[in-house]
Amino acid sequence: MIPWTHLDSAHIPNNGGELKFMQRGDEFSIRLSGVRGELMNSRVFNSEKVLSELGCAHLTHTDKAHVLVGGLGMGYTLAAALKAVNSSALVTVAELIPEVVKWNQGPLGACAKNPLADPRTQVHIGDVKQLLVSNTPTFDAILLDVDNGPEGLTHADNNWIYSIEGLESIFTTLRPGGRLAVWSAGPDYLFTVRLKNAGFKVDTRIVRSRPGKGSKHTIFLAKKP
Ligand SMILES: C[S@@+](CC[C@H](N)C(=O)[O-])C[C@H]1O[C@@H](n2cnc3c(N)ncnc32)[C@H](O)[C@@H]1O
């Protein structure tokens, strides 16, 4: 078996630990230091793709749709969002860790077919939260896969996103008819309640990690009326 090679490391802000970027043949892995394990593997991306398909399904014919993806990871959610919208769209991807963007501009890019090179992509290096606090309805879809579920994993500050304050702010940032889609490793009843309390109509979908097999992930699909 081919051994893993450690290609690079990156510090997570606010003492969040370290990300390790690993390669084994044509397979890539991004791991969290300590016992927190693998954040992403380049061979497992079905639910990351479906996150965009569900979150952007209403935008096929929308002129100048604006989609926000947070975070970049291995680029699968971004690539699927670009596929779901038309040529007039803008897709902003927010990524907290600059090295993750660099890895995607390098060897990782080919995995999701280089979505950063698409002229409709705009990169925001920084916390996605900075784009979720505007009082102006800006986005037609917000696709969030920054943690393992509605609880800060990579970054403790992410807990705000899933709080009622965060969700009300996201609601304001969405244009009428806009959708918020959140990736999660499993169900979370209280998160569904908070989404409803923030004004959303909520639907949850179970999606396998690989087409037709693998772990069962949850996608929260929240619609702004
Ligand atoms: C699980 S990965 C995303 C995988 C991605 N959906 C894909 O298709 O490859 C989570 C990403 O979110 C980033 N991240 C975590 N917290 C963030 C935040 N507050 N703002 C922006 N990016 C964040 C991490 O650095 C990591 O790149």
Side-chain angles (χ1 to χ4, degrees), residues 163-185:
S163 68
I164 186 69
E165 293 77 17
L167 296 175
E168 283 173 351
S169 188
I170 291 172
F171 188 87
T172 305
T173 314
L174 278 169
R175 291 174 176 160
R179 291 186 186 181
L180 164 69
V182 181
W183 188 98
S184 173

Side-chain angles (χ1 to χ4, degrees), residues 19 39-40 48 51 70-78 94-97 100 126-129 145-147 154-155 158 161:
L19 279 189
L39 190 63
M40 274 293 308
E48 287 79 359
L51 177 72
L72 176 60
M74 295 191 169
Y76 293 111
T77 299
L78 172 62
E95 174 51 54
L96 185 67
I97 300 168
V100 172
D127 196 324
V128 68
K129 182 180 166 183
D145 179 14
V146 288
D147 293 299
T154 19
H155 188 43
N158 284 355
I161 295 172

Side-chain angles (χ1 to χ4, degrees), residues 13-221:
N14 299 337
N15 294 325
E18 197 181 42
L19 279 189
K20 284 190 172 172
F21 180 38
M22 313 287 291
Q23 181 175 15
R24 178 171 71 177
D26 61 0
E27 181 183 4
F28 293 91
S29 171
I30 298 180
R31 297 179 193 171
L32 280 166
S33 57
V35 289
R36 294 185 290 166
E38 191 169 56
L39 190 63
M40 274 293 308
N41 182 290
S42 59
R43 296 206 173 150
V44 188
F45 54 85
N46 187 56
S47 53
E48 287 79 359
K49 185 169 76 84
V50 174
L51 177 72
S52 292
E53 291 167 355
L54 292 173
C56 298
H58 61 307
L59 298 178
T60 320
H61 303 296
T62 304
D63 192 36
K64 296 190 174 140
H66 192 179
V67 177
L68 173 63
V69 176
L72 176 60
M74 295 191 169
Y76 293 111
T77 299
L78 172 62
L82 289 162
K83 200 169 170 191
V85 295
N86 62 44
S87 58
S88 68
L90 172 65
V91 181
T92 300
V93 60
E95 174 51 54
L96 185 67
I97 300 168
E99 288 86 345
V100 172
V101 176
K102 185 184 82 179
W103 301 338
N104 276 271
Q105 288 163 337
L108 198 49
C111 293
K113 303 201 172 74
N114 295 301
L116 290 182
D118 190 302
R120 297 170 295 165
T121 300
Q122 170 182 276
V123 181
H124 170 87
I125 296 183
D127 196 324
V128 68
K129 182 180 166 183
Q130 293 158 352
L131 306 180
L132 299 175
V133 290
S134 147
N135 279 327
T136 317
T138 306
F139 302 109
D140 297 286
I142 297 175
L143 315 171
L144 294 179
D145 179 14
V146 288
D147 293 299
N148 227 9
E151 194 180 334
L153 173 77
T154 19
H155 188 43
D157 291 356
N158 284 355
N159 283 323
W160 174 84
I161 295 172
Y162 315 110
S163 68
I164 186 69
E165 293 77 17
L167 296 175
E168 283 173 351
S169 188
I170 291 172
F171 188 87
T172 305
T173 314
L174 278 169
R175 291 174 176 160
R179 291 186 186 181
L180 164 69
V182 181
W183 188 98
S184 173
D188 185 328
Y189 171 73
L190 290 178
F191 182 57
T192 305
V193 171
R194 287 200 298 281
L195 283 166
K196 287 181 181 166
N197 288 341
F200 289 104
K201 284 188 74 180
V202 189
D203 193 8
T204 52
R205 305 286 175 90
I206 305 298
V207 182
R208 306 300 289 258
S209 60
R210 298 172 188 255
K213 58 182 183 177
S215 312
K216 289 181 181 170
H217 298 150
T218 300
I219 290 173
F220 298 93
L221 190 59

